[in-house]
Amino acid sequence: MLRLLWTRSPSSFRRFGPSRLLSGAFSRKDRARTRTLFNRQGSEPTPTQHFDSYPRLLNFRSSQHSSSFRAPEAACFSMASGSDGQESLSPPKHTNRLRKERSPYLLQHAHNPVDWFPWGQEAFDKAKSEDKPIFLSVGYSTCHWCHVMERESFEDEEIGKILSDNFVCIKVDREERPDVDKVYMTFVQATSGGGGWPMSVWLTPSLRPFIGGTYFPPRDSSRRPGFKTILLRIMEQWQNNREALESSGERVVEALRKGTSISASPGESLPSGPDVANRCFQQLAHSYEEEYGGFRDAPKFPTPVNLLFLMSFWTVNRSSAEGAEALQMALHTLRMMALGGIHDHVAQGFHRYSTDSSWHVPHFEKMLYDQAQLAVAYITAYQVSGERLFADVALDVLQYVSRDLSHKSGGFYSAEDADSLPTPESAEKREGAFCVWTAGEVRDLLSETVEGATGGATQADIFMHHYGVKDQGNVEPEQDPHGELQGQNVLIVRYSVELTAARFGLSVDRLTEVLASARAKLAEVRRERPPPHLDSKMLASWNGLMLSGFARVGAVLGDKALLQRAEQAAQFLQEHLWDKEGQRILHSCYRGDDMEMEQTASPIAGFLDDYAFVVCGLLDLFEATQTVQWLKWAEDLQNTQDQLFWDAQGSGYFSSDPSDPTLLLSLKQDQDGAEPSANSVSAMNLQRLSHLTGKQEWMQRSEQLLTAFSDRLTKVPIALPDMVRGLMAHHYTLKQVLILADGNTEDYLYQKLPVLSSLVQQEGKATAYVCQDFACALPVTCPQELRRLLLE
């Protein structure tokens, strides 16, 4: 058995603002109109029209049309009514070629009166043969504002005809084609200062973008042009001012190529691990919100990458005030999230983010990648603190995923939508309808008197007190601008179990039983409500993250069932997302109408995220189970990743195949956001593989990767906290913990690591060696002695 951990022994995200990226592409006056707006991690931003950089080209003469539109902040959380394509029993009036696709998002648009194409050669050839501009629309199936724009514009007959007659219209699922999304989102962010979904971009037939934005309302208002007007103006300019459109777009793309380049400079060395880690800690501490935890004010995101960094920082700074503060920041944030409304207290799991600073009212969407990373964050918190709450929350997350996001084949679905029908008879979906409660509902469901409770309190009295349920509802108006949550309650723990127990004269154990019984009754009622839309596609990358979640929690808790579920997930990846003939990972597969697995006619090849996240998951699974086949497959996948994505000139990995002629930019992800950057994950994967296999080339490659990102790491480490952990591992090095138990010297690891042959079992007992670069301390056979060695 071989495990890796850190020892104390020594051994950006940078959004290029238009002022830097676009110098030469626009005049100073044009650049002054742009503004820097950081896109929130993985969120749908407040919808904004992004045409500030092109006012003359689009000829918006009226001053009331020249300024960009920003909808009210809370509009991001209002009602969506996008169709899942499954709600109407009447024959659809329109059907387009998206009906042949497997992506749930594309299928939602299969009956729009728009001549949609999927991303592919057929659309590109049509644009060239007819010399038409391309309208590219990018979103995902649980995206609120994507639903809104579909309802308002893409289901509109007049707008649909304008689009179909004058543009080649391409619809892209950003989760299915993250490569396409990243390229054109980079353009939108650079030319407008903001970005998000739905993303709307107009391209030349050669796929060069010339105009970009996000959500647009369908019609003109007193302050802004509508989508129809924008389409008509682009058509006019395409006919009369095409050269200016194309040249402007070309200049921007060229500036982006230069501005997004990430590479190691000749002679550049690895930055100092402790210095970068200290700076990252200071930057996080500066943005930390002390009362409720988390970083910055509302909206608040879970940011597991930040929390895992803080706990890693503590492990090498335990005796310092900074180390203690880092641990406090991480644990307090995790506690407050677990108590808050962002945590689903009835059906488990976590929602996407909180609309307020106290983690109370969430955006109710649930994403697989959040569940995966939060399971790891909570079990890590349990390891460093010993506080059972954190282990319970980790198990809570895995219970939700096992029940609601799992396919019988072992794979994991992508997401659940925020919006659903309040009742089967309802005509419109509402945000959070599946999850919220009126006080009357709670009283009706929990009417039984609790024996021994003070004043003859009912189960409802106790539950409402503990979870903050109010007769008038507990959602503040500023969190509910459209009144969708009026009179409703989002459950949030308001008191400790000790205080609630004392309030009603109950023991803590009895109170815990009462609350658990109440939650079970509410869960049963929720199962009868119309469920939110389920995005049932399965992605290799997110399944890799979830594999890590089950493996890590199972290993820490010694839970065989969780480890079996992790192995089932790995087997799913091998069976359904691995091209045996081509020896390549596939990015996605789909649940068919008969609940069986399906694949598209032209499967999407895996991206860097797919390889990096799956390799990480396999390494976690190997360390948890010591099943060598998972280590072998991780090695094979890492070799393939190196062949496909490594930048031999500048070091680091490209996010997608750099030889793809349809992608204008070869990008390297430089932010750990809602998901960690695949380069960050790879930096640690390479180190782990080097220690497990003795292959020094992988250690050298990890150093080269980190050196390529040294500018970001040095200046803006808060943008890459997960990569900072990889840099820390280089400095503080990993230790090998070897446990000899069965005397089997023919094991695969003995072939890879000849030094193991010099280690012998003591007195026939299980024997542990703690080593650094395989220079080992004296063997121990007592668990307490091993613990002492690990803590030194």
Side-chain angles (χ1 to χ4, degrees):
M1 178 181 294
L2 177 58
R3 302 231 200 275
L4 302 176
L5 73 162
W6 285 354
T7 171
R8 287 180 57 88
S9 304
S11 143
S12 63
F13 170 66
R14 176 178 245 174
R15 278 287 178 232
F16 292 93
S19 59
R20 175 175 175 182
L21 271 180
L22 305 181
S23 54
F26 298 119
S27 68
R28 180 176 299 175
K29 182 177 180 181
D30 284 339
R31 292 199 303 273
R33 292 188 175 97
T34 63
R35 62 201 180 283
T36 302
L37 173 65
F38 289 92
N39 180 33
R40 300 185 182 103
Q41 302 178 33
S43 71
E44 304 167 49
T46 307
T48 308
Q49 286 186 359
H50 294 318
F51 278 89
D52 290 353
S53 299
Y54 301 90
R56 292 188 299 278
L57 294 179
L58 289 181
N59 197 25
F60 290 138
R61 296 183 180 87
S62 169
S63 60
Q64 63 188 2
H65 284 173
S66 64
S67 62
S68 66
F69 156 65
R70 178 169 294 281
E73 182 72 27
C76 283
F77 321 122
S78 63
M79 180 181 65
S81 57
S83 169
D84 294 344
Q86 301 173 344
E87 296 173 8
S88 175
L89 298 178
S90 59
K93 184 178 179 181
H94 302 278
T95 300
N96 56 56
R97 58 182 57 74
L98 296 185
R99 74 188 186 281
K100 298 179 181 179
E101 297 299 308
R102 290 292 177 265
S103 157
Y105 177 64
L106 299 189
L107 290 172
Q108 287 174 348
H109 294 263
H111 300 296
N112 296 163
V114 178
D115 187 19
W116 289 117
F117 286 78
W119 180 266
Q121 198 60 48
E122 182 185 6
F124 307 154
D125 290 345
K126 178 179 174 67
K128 289 180 180 178
S129 65
E130 298 181 9
D131 197 31
K132 287 181 178 178
I134 292 169
F135 170 60
L136 174 65
S137 177
V138 182
Y140 55 102
S141 77
T142 59
C143 162
H144 169 77
W145 284 99
C146 301
H147 299 332
V148 173
M149 193 163 179
E150 179 193 15
R151 182 193 69 206
E152 294 177 340
S153 293
F154 302 145
E155 292 180 354
D156 182 281
E157 298 275 354
E158 182 184 15
I159 290 177
K161 181 171 176 54
I162 293 173
L163 282 167
S164 300
D165 291 349
N166 299 281
F167 301 89
V168 174
C169 302
I170 299 179
K171 178 63 73 173
V172 167
D173 181 341
R174 68 170 294 263
E175 296 166 355
E176 191 179 56
R177 292 303 305 259
D179 53 339
V180 177
D181 175 65
K182 287 173 183 174
V183 166
Y184 293 105
M185 184 60 73
T186 301
F187 169 81
V188 170
Q189 288 171 325
T191 55
S192 68
W197 301 277
M199 177 170 62
S200 306
V201 190
W202 285 264
L203 321 176
T204 67
S206 59
L207 305 182
R208 268 60 177 171
F210 58 88
I211 297 289
T214 56
Y215 161 84
F216 299 98
R219 310 293 176 191
D220 297 352
S221 71
S222 61
R223 297 182 57 83
R224 59 193 182 275
F227 188 56
K228 176 185 172 183
T229 296
I230 290 166
L231 292 174
L232 296 175
R233 297 289 170 83
I234 291 175
M235 290 161 50
E236 175 191 343
Q237 293 299 312
W238 183 254
Q239 293 297 322
N240 302 324
N241 203 15
R242 177 172 173 174
E243 184 177 347
L245 288 177
E246 293 180 323
S247 63
S248 293
E250 198 65 53
R251 287 197 301 272
V252 175
V253 170
E254 185 57 36
L256 289 173
R257 283 199 184 98
K258 296 177 180 177
T260 59
S261 175
I262 296 173
S263 62
S265 302
E268 192 171 13
S269 60
L270 205 63
S272 165
D275 289 348
V276 169
N278 284 327
R279 187 173 294 111
C280 187
F281 164 71
Q282 294 296 338
Q283 291 177 349
L284 284 171
H286 181 71
S287 65
Y288 179 68
E289 196 274 291
E290 293 187 357
E291 184 174 6
Y292 295 102
F295 304 93
R296 299 189 171 88
D297 295 325
K300 274 188 177 175
F301 292 83
T303 58
V305 289
N306 290 345
L307 304 174
L308 288 167
F309 162 77
L310 289 170
M311 288 185 279
S312 295
F313 183 82
W314 170 78
T315 63
V316 294
N317 293 279
R318 296 187 190 191
S319 60
S320 71
E322 290 81 5
E325 184 181 355
L327 183 60
Q328 188 276 334
M329 289 164 58
L331 299 185
H332 181 59
T333 298
L334 288 166
R335 285 191 199 99
M336 298 309 292
M337 286 170 50
L339 300 176
I342 191 174
H343 182 202
D344 188 339
H345 296 283
V346 171
Q348 298 82 45
F350 281 83
H351 301 294
R352 177 76 273 272
Y353 60 86
S354 174
T355 67
D356 55 76
S357 63
S358 61
W359 305 107
H360 180 201
V361 182
H363 174 50
F364 289 88
E365 175 186 21
K366 288 182 177 178
M367 305 299 299
L368 180 66
Y369 59 75
D370 281 326
Q371 316 308 319
Q373 295 176 87
L374 285 169
V376 172
Y378 274 99
I379 203 62
T380 304
Y382 171 66
Q383 287 181 283
V384 301
S385 72
E387 192 173 328
R388 184 66 203 185
L389 165 70
F390 298 124
D392 290 342
V393 176
L395 289 170
D396 170 288
V397 170
L398 299 187
Q399 180 184 352
Y400 161 69
V401 172
S402 296
R403 185 189 64 238
D404 293 347
L405 293 183
S406 289
H407 186 266
K408 63 181 180 180
S409 65
F412 301 107
Y413 302 134
S414 293
E416 282 190 312
D417 206 344
D419 309 316
S420 60
L421 296 172
T423 69
E425 296 75 31
S426 301
E428 293 184 335
K429 294 182 178 182
R430 292 193 176 190
E431 169 91 17
F434 189 63
C435 302
V436 295
W437 304 90
T438 65
E441 287 176 313
V442 174
R443 286 199 179 93
D444 290 343
L445 288 170
L446 308 177
S447 59
E448 294 180 8
T449 301
V450 175
E451 184 178 354
T454 301
T458 64
Q459 197 174 27
D461 295 328
I462 297 171
F463 186 88
M464 292 171 69
H465 175 83
H466 191 72
Y467 286 105
V469 176
K470 299 179 180 178
D471 287 322
Q472 70 274 23
N474 67 3
V475 178
E476 296 297 328
E478 55 264 30
Q479 308 311 135
D480 183 31
H482 297 283
E484 292 180 296
L485 300 175
Q486 188 173 1
Q488 301 286 344
N489 289 272
V490 177
L491 303 183
I492 179 172
V493 176
R494 291 300 191 190
Y495 301 96
S496 68
V497 288
E498 290 80 7
L499 284 175
T500 300
R503 166 72 173 76
F504 291 98
L506 300 172
S507 68
V508 170
D509 288 345
R510 177 62 179 137
L511 173 72
T512 302
E513 292 175 1
V514 170
L515 294 177
S517 171
R519 291 193 302 268
K521 291 177 182 178
L522 267 63
E524 186 176 346
V525 170
R526 259 179 60 167
R527 282 192 288 271
E528 301 303 316
R529 292 176 174 176
H533 161 71
L534 173 70
D535 189 320
S536 59
K537 70 175 176 292
M538 285 159 264
L539 305 177
S541 54
W542 295 359
N543 272 256
L545 290 174
M546 201 67 246
L547 168 58
S548 285
F550 276 92
R552 293 280 296 276
V553 177
V556 171
L557 300 181
D559 190 317
K560 292 183 179 179
L562 295 180
L563 294 178
Q564 289 171 355
R565 182 66 184 90
E567 292 206 291
Q568 187 184 14
Q571 291 160 359
F572 160 81
L573 286 163
Q574 271 196 327
E575 182 175 352
H576 296 289
L577 287 170
W578 174 243
D579 176 4
K580 294 179 182 178
E581 182 177 348
Q583 294 292 290
R584 298 288 189 270
I585 279 184
L586 302 177
H587 176 61
S588 55
C589 60
Y590 308 87
R591 187 185 75 181
D593 293 337
D594 58 359
M595 298 298 291
E596 298 300 321
M597 298 305 305
E598 292 184 353
Q599 188 53 266
T600 57
S602 300
I604 300 170
F607 304 105
L608 176 63
D609 286 6
D610 298 306
Y611 285 86
F613 296 173
V614 171
V615 168
C616 182
L618 292 173
L619 292 177
D620 288 332
L621 182 58
F622 166 71
E623 290 192 10
T625 65
Q626 296 297 298
T627 303
V628 169
Q629 76 174 94
W630 305 127
L631 175 59
K632 290 181 177 179
W633 194 29
E635 289 182 79
D636 293 342
L637 292 182
Q638 188 63 57
N639 283 322
T640 304
Q641 175 184 321
D642 293 348
Q643 295 167 11
L644 292 175
F645 304 109
W646 182 254
D647 179 2
Q649 281 73 46
S651 297
Y653 293 99
F654 293 112
S655 297
S656 56
D657 183 356
S659 65
D660 188 339
T662 66
L663 299 178
L664 304 179
L665 304 173
S666 295
L667 299 172
K668 298 174 187 175
Q669 185 68 23
D670 62 351
Q671 182 194 20
D672 295 324
E675 305 164 55
S677 159
N679 273 288
S680 298
V681 174
S682 294
M684 187 67 84
N685 287 348
L686 290 164
Q687 293 181 65
R688 296 171 72 184
L689 280 166
S690 179
H691 282 278
L692 289 168
T693 66
K695 187 174 178 179
Q696 288 303 306
E697 295 93 321
W698 276 333
M699 184 64 72
Q700 295 164 4
R701 180 151 291 184
S702 179
E703 293 177 3
Q704 293 166 354
L705 185 161
L706 291 166
T707 302
F709 285 84
S710 61
D711 182 63
R712 276 82 170 157
L713 288 169
T714 301
K715 296 178 181 177
V716 201
I718 192 175
L720 287 164
D722 205 56
M723 190 175 287
V724 176
R725 295 174 68 224
L727 182 62
M728 292 167 65
H730 263 283
H731 179 83
Y732 295 106
T733 70
L734 295 169
K735 278 186 178 179
Q736 301 90 24
V737 180
L738 302 108
I739 300 177
L740 308 181
D742 56 10
N744 177 17
T745 59
E746 303 301 317
D747 185 88
Y748 179 73
L749 289 177
Y750 278 86
Q751 302 171 29
K752 291 288 184 176
L753 303 168
V755 68
L756 297 184
S757 299
S758 65
L759 307 180
V760 295
Q761 201 169 348
Q762 304 292 307
E763 302 174 357
K765 299 178 181 178
T767 304
Y769 288 83
V770 178
C771 313
Q772 182 177 319
D773 293 330
F774 291 100
C776 301
L778 292 174
V780 297
T781 57
C782 172
Q784 289 73 24
E785 277 295 299
L786 176 58
R787 177 179 176 83
R788 180 186 62 78
L789 285 175
L790 296 178
L791 290 175
E792 284 182 350

